[in-house]
Amino acid sequence: MIKKVHFYFIFLLIIFIIMFIFLFKIFNHNIKSYAVEDSYSDAQPVKDSLPPTTDTSLPISLEDIYTPEAVTPLHLLDNGFELPLNGSSGYWSIKLSLLSNPDYNSSKVSSLTAGTGFKILKENNDWWYVSINNCNGWLPNKYCMINLPDVIPSIIYDDTNSYKSLFLSSQKELPNITGKQLYNVYQFNSRLNKEEFIMPIMYPTAKKIAKVQHLALSNNQSLKIYETFRPLDVQKKISSNLSFLMNNDSTVFNGINRNSWNESWFIAQSISNHQRGIALDVSLVNVIDSTYNQIGKYSYTSIIEYKECKMPTRMHELSADAVSLKYGVNSNSKTAWQNVPLSNTMTESAICLQNYFTKCGFCPLASEWWHFNDLDTKDLLDGIYSSGQYYIRECLSSIPE
């Protein structure tokens, strides 16, 4: 009898121990889950913060990046963009003619001045069939700019010069520039069904930017573009007011003329690649939340919430604090920058941004971490460049068919 009691007692004890271990694992798992959820809720991202305060960038290398909750970007269309060309706004960059056929020898339909807006109807190799003022015809697309939001709507656009310029030098305001509206390209876009900035850039350059954004989205990040085309009048106004400030403020003078740098590195006194339509000022953000939007029968990634990445300076700080390389190199060379060490002020996010762009064929500007040039398109244009002596004023975009 005693042996039976001992047997039952041992049997019950074993069952009790097993149940205790099982309950302990469940309880411990719940504690860990709660801790993870709680830590995430305590780290809510800041939307549209300037200047950014936290660097949560990806590793400098673009190889073998592990992002378990990364955005899954939709495949680019055959045209290389997120949306079709049909219904996009385009802009003529030089003075030329609208032609009756996709042939330079065909008859002229009408003459166009630089900066003229039109709606793209279709593409035939290197030509666009467009509509302008109830008149249709053909244009060679390599001389045309396209409105980036119409074809890459997943990018975050924030042309601060269109409402409140951020330009500073050694953190000091430029007279008549800082905080001012330098032009206005913010208007309703019928294609996107919302207010959006017009962001014109040369068509071949736009194709490269689509690749950069696709790469960034795959790594749970996105481009935030501050400026593409800049009118020449605005360029000259910024330049003259920076010169005035520099010559009257020793802090600004010393901030610009440090080491091998000088004023010309931070703002061109004449036509720059912004006027040619082959440059952009851009930063990087980490995507917190995104969804898919629908335009007609097409879907694209739409970023709902994001967090600014930490950069060497805030956007458009015109001083040696913003340099990306240790010293200047020929900005017209496609390879010279590769032989120069990075500036010590470059953050991991700034390096990651540079890697995205250089991997897709852009060249960084030595003096500005945010500025990238498309020298391939510059070569393609054979010296026939936009002068920038016009303002972009029209958004003619419509829903793609």
Side-chain angles (χ1 to χ4, degrees), residues 263-289:
E263 182 185 359
S264 63
W265 276 106
F266 302 105
I267 190 75
Q269 283 83 27
S270 57
I271 295 174
S272 75
N273 286 336
H274 276 295
Q275 285 77 61
R276 297 183 181 105
I278 57 172
L280 72 160
D281 294 345
V282 58
S283 189
L284 192 64
V285 302
N286 289 320
V287 177
I288 302 301
D289 193 13

Side-chain angles (χ1 to χ4, degrees), residues 91-95 113-115 142-145 200-202 229-232 270-278 377-378 381 383-392:
Y91 305 92
W92 197 229
S93 68
I94 58 176
K95 184 179 179 180
T113 58
K142 74 176 183 178
Y143 296 117
C144 297
M145 292 189 286
I201 204 157
M202 297 303 290
F229 172 78
R230 180 187 299 157
L232 182 59
S270 57
I271 295 174
S272 75
N273 286 336
H274 276 295
Q275 285 77 61
R276 297 183 181 105
I278 57 172
T377 296
K378 187 176 183 181
L381 297 175
I384 306 175
Y385 308 129
S386 162
S387 67
Q389 295 178 314
Y390 53 87
Y391 286 77
I392 300 295

Side-chain angles (χ1 to χ4, degrees), residues 325-340:
L325 304 179
K326 283 198 172 182
Y327 52 86
V329 294
N330 184 356
S331 299
N332 292 315
S333 169
K334 297 180 183 179
T335 58
W337 62 270
Q338 298 175 4
N339 302 315
V340 182

Side-chain angles (χ1 to χ4, degrees), residues 47-65:
K47 296 182 70 175
D48 303 315
S49 60
L50 281 175
T53 57
T54 305
D55 185 7
T56 55
S57 63
L58 294 172
I60 296 173
S61 172
L62 299 184
E63 305 298 329
D64 302 321
I65 296 178

Side-chain angles (χ1 to χ4, degrees), residues 136-195:
N136 295 353
W138 293 90
L139 294 172
N141 55 36
K142 74 176 183 178
Y143 296 117
C144 297
M145 292 189 286
I146 191 169
N147 185 31
L148 279 178
D150 289 346
V151 287
I152 322 176
S154 67
I155 292 175
I156 299 159
Y157 299 97
D158 187 15
D159 190 337
T160 49
N161 284 332
S162 182
Y163 62 95
K164 190 176 181 180
S165 177
L166 298 176
F167 278 110
L168 297 172
S169 185
S170 293
Q171 302 182 39
K172 294 196 175 186
E173 295 186 358
L174 277 64
N176 307 309
I177 299 295
T178 309
K180 306 294 184 182
Q181 183 185 54
L182 305 184
Y183 50 80
N184 186 9
V185 292
Y186 191 65
Q187 58 182 268
F188 186 76
N189 185 316
S190 297
R191 181 182 178 93
L192 305 177
N193 194 32
K194 66 176 183 177
E195 300 283 331

